[in-house]
Amino acid sequence: MSAVAKGGRRGGLGASRWTPWLYLAPALIVLAALLVYPIYQLGLISFLEYTQAQVSGGEPATFQGFANYTELFSDRQFWEVLVATLVFAAVCVLSTLVVGCGLAVLLTRIRAVSRLALMLAALGAWATQAITGSTVLVFLFDPDFGPVNKMLVWVGLSGFEDFSWTYDRYSAFALVLFEVVWCSFPLVMVTVYAGIKAIPGEVLEAASLDGASNWRVWRSVMAPMLRPILVVVTIQPIIWDFKVFTQIYVMTNGGGIAGQNLVLNVYAYQKAFASSQYSLGSAIGIVMLLILLAVTLIYLRLLRRQGEEL
Amino acid sequence: MNVFARMAAPVAALVAAGLTATACAPSTSDNEAKKDDQSGTLCVWLFQEVDNDPKKKVVDQAVADFRGKHKDVDVDVTYIPINTRAEKIKAAFNDPESAPDLIEYGNTDTAGYVQDGGLADISEEFASWPQSKDTDATAKESLTVKGKTYGSPLFVGVRALYYRTDVFKDLGLKPPTTQEELVNTAEKIRAEPKDLYGLAVGGAYTYGAMPFLWSNGGELATEKDGTYRSTIDSAQSQAGIKAYTALFGDQNCPANKCAEMGGNNTVETFASGKAGMAIAGNFNHPAIEASKVKGKYAVVPLPGKKAGEIAPAFAGGNNIGLLKSSSHRTLGLALMQSLTSKKTQGALFDAMGFLPTYTDVRKEAAAREPFAEPFVKTLDVAKFVPASPGWAAIDAVLVLPTMFQQIVSGRKDVDAAANEARKKMDAAFTEAG
């Protein structure tokens, strides 16, 4: 590609260098308006003192340099929340992928009726609003009235009579994880299933003729061929799960007991909107943006290094 | 690499173009009133209550009284949902063009709205109104910021102790008269095999915890020269925090369930018959009256440390304020006077059970409706939260619920948790200026 650029195009018309940009212009202008401008405003606000008083003209907006960032980085709670968010998002992404891919493979192995049932169930989960799913789950796991505890007691497990799922930090996160995976696995499942269906049957047949196990077929045949699809279905959950808000906000009453289940987005909401410190909220937004960009770029980079064009 | 190099220039150009095209600070609106019109339409935003019709009737009458004197003025009253009021009112401050002239607002928001530059100072006019001298001191405090008045109080609300008369009768208990008795009574109820909580408490129920703090001589903060310093970790405050957090546990309200409850949850717990007692407001009365404990409960003031003492409760309530951007100052104030008059507040009490802010009207109301009595008694010793915009921030980032929950869940002892809360509160007060 670079050889062509260096050798072939230099001699051509000057305009041709700009031709691709000309075609791209409409899309780029729309993108700039919808993306660059808000991010620019977000960045700008993060360098100002900008609270409700400044918005409604009670006080003038003043330039603060990196003061908002210094305040943020010196807040011990921010680091705790950041670590919790990263770990929680990582677990969510992995679980979503495992469940999604597992069920996609299962879909290719079962009969039409069961496949239809599984598809419908997944689509139902997909179509359900996060807020609805969260509310229902909180009800199901309610310590006083929830059927889940009753069932666990009924099958003979002790200690679940009065067990509150949201009291302990990890059981609360586990409950939220369950809801996050539940509403994001269908995308992975459906996409990967479509990908598997597109793999030529003779390749899979050849693998099984060679005596490959199910795991081996997945590892050495399906996964490499599904690579571009897997990239997409991994990046999506990374972005979603890093930004999870509704589930935490609804299921743990805005961050759990003594803030034990706070994630960055809920933390930013508390700072930015509930207490009207828009500038600090913007600083959190910028930090989140940079982290997400970095994670995504590193991930793409690692994949490229493994040798294939995406 | 090459791709990045080739993209760098156009992207930079694009960003630069964006910057020059839009190089302006984020928007700031101008809320200064430009004129004082003597005719036209007055726009009023009031909160939409769960059962709003009775309130509407009272308001319609107040508006009719006002229009009797100002025939050529129209009044447009809009009822806004309480859940989204914060966004609505902030939006009104951001866009003075489409903002109303008068708003109803929660009294803990006063200082914040004043700092936002949203509310007009009406100190002179308010002082000159003949009825305003009967306004009780706590209600006045709730609309005063740095010595200036920013509205007129509409009603107050306060919490007291609801208890189950049937449970008390079965167990031979009497309504507690001291804090110690309250704890003992709660534990007796819990010890019975009915699986009831004694006194329903919540780790996130700040206003249920305040009476314990205040009755032990503690304070949230003290004011000096217009700035607040938190005193949440003083010895007296800590004694109060200890008294409240000691109510969490298997002997009364198990921590694994009660730590995360807020005010509404404790009221629901009581209404669903799962608690012997609860701290709830006069404004919760309709919900409890509509529940299965109807006819099986009574209310007394929450007892203080000594017999005969009432624990000071938080005086919540709503005020009517004039927006700084209003172009109808004179008319707006006249309507405000009518909306918050003794007549209107008396009628509002009869219709909705909201307690009047005038001491004389309140006494009459309590005489008409015995249910109001324990609340009216409590109001004599009620207190208010710091009149600083920092309070809104403290409330929003859950400083006090976090403190209670840290103690209740055993993560921190009272001293450490109160210390941390003090630091966060001081930071918020300093930030708010």
Side-chain angles (χ1 to χ4, degrees), chain A residues 199 217-228 230:
Chain A
I199 296 175
V217 171
W218 167 259
R219 179 74 198 80
S220 306
V221 182
M222 285 187 183
M225 296 186 86
L226 291 174
R227 217 178 143 82
L230 285 177

Side-chain angles (χ1 to χ4, degrees), chain A residues 243-285:
Chain A
K243 297 196 302 185
V244 61
F245 178 89
T246 315
Q247 288 90 342
I248 293 278
Y249 197 78
V250 173
M251 300 177 77
T252 69
N253 271 328
I257 288 163
Q260 63 181 3
N261 299 112
L262 277 177
V263 291
L264 267 187
N265 236 354
V266 180
Y267 178 74
Y269 170 79
Q270 277 189 2
K271 292 282 178 193
F273 296 105
S275 52
S276 301
Q277 300 185 60
Y278 303 121
S279 40
L280 198 59
S282 303
I284 301 175

